[in-house]
């Protein structure tokens, strides 16, 4: 790079760690087409960050960049963003040369590459959207923890010979909890336990009795089952309180939630995750392709010597990708809509995992168009592929019949 290639003459690079941060300020020197770099160390406490903020303001910098190191960047970024032109950059893009990696050299490298305009800023949502993210991500964490408690309960029941999970579909259901609480309180009669079933589970009384006969259930087992049930009740109460707070926080985004819920497979919880992760403002993502790449549902590029090699999808926003995956799995179970027909078409040719990713890509593309243009979801006709490619569809059906050993002659219908 030449001095004439510099886009931002006055920049700073910040290498953040848990206890401190190395700051390299790169500004023009007195000699023409040369620059001087000053590296300083600042603590990570709020008073020290505020001193750093005043120092950067005095330098009249055009750009300040920092790596997204764990969560350590957040106090620096949040305190600087009001008055300092700070940008968060992906550590993978700002990687220093191997064999020369120190905190000081990392800060200097950040400043140098930033001055050339080589670093793309990461998306950092505004404070109101960050609050939505905190809520939806906390719900995701609690949901996963609750599922792990259920798994531990099921495994423990297997130790005692209790095959309740082979009969009921949900150990956290009403009937299951009544039976498990009765077991924990000392009841061992299979008929009495099976009689506690509610609703449609009453039709499985015989299976329940068989699953609850001959148990090796001791006082220790009763304590452990009661312990897991109490843990489930506590998690359910926490989730209920969190859901109430989420409903209140998402009230201003009710129109967007209802709009996104018109996409097949996208339910209210998934719509909330999409809004919390993207901010519902597509100004940060100029195109749908950029949003898909940021979400991690776009294929990577791996080309060498004119040959395109297989490339996995890029790493993206974990929470958004998880929400899109839930929606894609819901679509895979549906019928009679365009997305489910497209999923089945791709799954038959390339397998279910690729079909899931392709469906996620289609969903996020629709999300971008809906939020960017304020339009409703317009589903293509379900027979779009067969109508547009009638010859290919016909030949595909003939090939399948030939593989099964049939000789077929086609006659055009009237």
């Amino acid at each position: 790079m030449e001095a004439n290639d510099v886009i931002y003459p006055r920049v700073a690079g910040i290498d953040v760690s848990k206890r401190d941060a190395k700051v390299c300020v790169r500004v023009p020197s007195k000699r023409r087409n040369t620059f001087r770099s000053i590296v300083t160390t600042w603590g990570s406490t709020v008073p020290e960050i505020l001193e750093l903020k005043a120092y950067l303001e005095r330098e009249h910098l055009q750009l300040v960049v920092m790596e997204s190191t764990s969560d350590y960047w957040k106090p620096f970024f949040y305190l600087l963003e009001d008055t300092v032109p700070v940008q968060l950059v992906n550590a993978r893009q700002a990687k220093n040369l191997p064999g020369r990696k120190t905190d000081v050299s990392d800060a200097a490298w950040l400043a140098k590459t930033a001055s050339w305009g080589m670093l793309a800023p990461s998306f950092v949502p505004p404070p109101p959207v960050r609050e939505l993210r905190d809520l939806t991500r906390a719900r995701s964490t609690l949901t996963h923890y609750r599922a792990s408690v259920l798994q531990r309960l099921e495994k423990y029941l297997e130790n005692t010979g209790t095959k309740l999970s082979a009969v009921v579909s949900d150990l956290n259901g009403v009937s299951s909890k009544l039976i498990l609480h009765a077991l924990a309180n000392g009841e061992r009669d299979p008929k009495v336990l099976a009689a506690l079933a509610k609703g449609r589970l009453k039709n499985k009384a015989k299976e329940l009795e068989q699953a609850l006969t001959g148990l090796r259930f001791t006082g220790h087992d009763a304590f452990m089952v009661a312990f897991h049930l109490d843990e489930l009740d506590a998690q359910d109460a926490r989730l209920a309180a969190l859901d109430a707070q989420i409903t209140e926080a998402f009230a201003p985004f009710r129109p967007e939630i209802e709009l996104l819920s018109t996409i097949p497979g996208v339910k209210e919880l998934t719509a909330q995750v999409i809004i919390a992760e993207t901010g519902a403002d597509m100004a940060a993502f100029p195109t749908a392709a950029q949003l898909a790449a940021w979400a991690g549902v776009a294929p990577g590029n791996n080309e060498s010597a004119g040959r395109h090699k297989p490339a996995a999808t890029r790493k993206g926003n974990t929470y958004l990708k998880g929400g899109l995956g839930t929606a894609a799995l819901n679509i895979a179970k549906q019928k009679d809509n365009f997305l489910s027909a497209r999923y089945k078409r791709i799954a038959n040719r390339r397998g279910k995992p690729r079909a899931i990713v392709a469906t996620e890509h289609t969903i996020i593309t629709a999300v971008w168009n809906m939020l960017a243009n304020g339009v409703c979801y317009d589903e293509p006709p379900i027979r779009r592929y067969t109508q547009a490619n009638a010859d290919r569809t016909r030949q595909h059906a003939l090939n399948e019949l030939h593989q099964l050993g049939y000789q077929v002659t086609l006659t055009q219908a009237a």
Side-chain angles (χ1 to χ4, degrees), residues 228-250:
H228 285 98
L229 291 175
D230 291 342
E231 184 67 18
L232 283 173
D233 291 339
Q235 295 304 318
D236 288 339
R238 295 178 67 189
L239 279 172
L242 191 57
D243 284 336
Q245 184 66 24
I246 288 175
T247 301
E248 181 181 350
F250 275 90

Side-chain angles (χ1 to χ4, degrees), residues 140-179:
S140 177
T141 302
L142 279 180
T143 302
H144 284 100
Y145 179 74
R146 178 177 171 275
S148 68
V149 174
L150 273 174
Q151 288 178 343
R152 292 199 298 271
L153 174 60
E154 181 179 2
K155 289 181 178 181
Y156 194 85
L157 291 175
E158 291 291 333
N159 293 339
T160 65
T162 308
K163 304 297 292 185
L164 184 61
S165 60
V167 181
V168 302
S169 59
D170 183 12
L171 284 178
N172 200 39
V174 175
S175 300
S176 301
K177 280 194 168 184
L178 287 174
I179 294 172

Side-chain angles (χ1 to χ4, degrees), residues 6 8-13 24-39 55-64 108 111-112 115:
V6 171
Y8 303 103
R10 303 185 67 87
V11 299
C24 176
V25 173
R26 189 172 189 268
V27 294
S29 63
K30 294 181 179 180
R31 294 178 58 188
R32 185 178 180 184
N33 292 335
T34 60
F35 297 86
R36 61 186 178 91
S37 298
I38 305 170
V39 180
Y55 167 67
L56 296 176
E57 289 173 348
R58 291 194 299 270
E59 292 294 334
H60 303 291
L61 300 172
Q62 297 169 288
L63 181 63
V64 177
K112 186 176 293 186
S115 68

Side-chain angles (χ1 to χ4, degrees), residues 188-205:
R188 298 293 182 269
D189 189 343
K191 292 186 178 181
V192 175
L193 293 171
L196 296 174
K198 303 292 182 181
R200 289 182 295 178
L201 198 59
K202 290 181 179 180
N203 300 329
K204 297 183 178 181

Side-chain angles (χ1 to χ4, degrees), residues 251-370:
F253 295 93
R254 197 68 219 169
E256 287 83 358
I257 291 176
E258 293 177 354
L259 186 67
L260 295 179
S261 298
T262 60
I263 303 175
V266 176
K267 299 180 180 180
E268 183 168 346
L269 295 185
T270 304
Q272 290 174 348
V273 171
I274 293 173
I275 291 172
E277 297 303 325
T278 64
D281 183 6
M282 295 296 103
F285 307 99
T287 65
Q290 288 179 320
L291 176 59
W294 180 78
V297 296
N301 293 323
N302 186 8
E303 182 182 354
S304 179
R307 295 179 59 190
H308 292 275
K309 301 179 181 180
T313 55
R314 297 172 50 181
K315 292 183 179 180
N317 186 297
T318 305
Y319 296 92
L320 179 56
K321 192 172 184 178
L324 294 173
T326 301
L329 290 174
N330 290 335
I331 289 171
K333 300 174 184 177
Q334 295 177 0
K335 297 179 180 178
D336 300 331
N337 64 62
F338 170 77
L339 291 179
S340 63
R342 184 174 185 272
Y343 167 83
K344 292 178 177 63
R345 174 175 172 270
I346 298 175
N348 289 336
R349 293 187 297 110
R350 309 200 66 185
K352 293 181 180 180
R354 292 178 182 269
I356 289 291
V357 176
T359 305
E360 293 172 349
H361 189 279
T362 303
I363 294 172
I364 200 64
T365 301
V367 167
W368 187 90
N369 284 289
M370 294 167 69

Side-chain angles (χ1 to χ4, degrees), residues 69-128:
T69 307
S70 184
D71 289 327
Y72 304 142
W73 62 271
K74 291 183 178 180
F76 287 88
F77 189 93
Y78 295 163
L79 290 173
L80 295 177
E81 64 178 337
D82 294 336
T83 58
V84 176
V86 61
Q87 287 184 356
L88 184 72
V89 298
N90 193 321
R92 184 179 180 182
Q93 296 181 0
K95 198 171 184 179
N96 200 351
L97 298 176
R100 298 178 52 187
K101 191 178 185 313
T102 64
D103 292 342
V104 173
S105 64
D106 281 352
W109 179 252
L110 279 172
K112 186 176 293 186
T113 51
S115 68
W116 296 329
M118 295 176 61
L119 301 177
S122 299
F123 172 60
V124 180

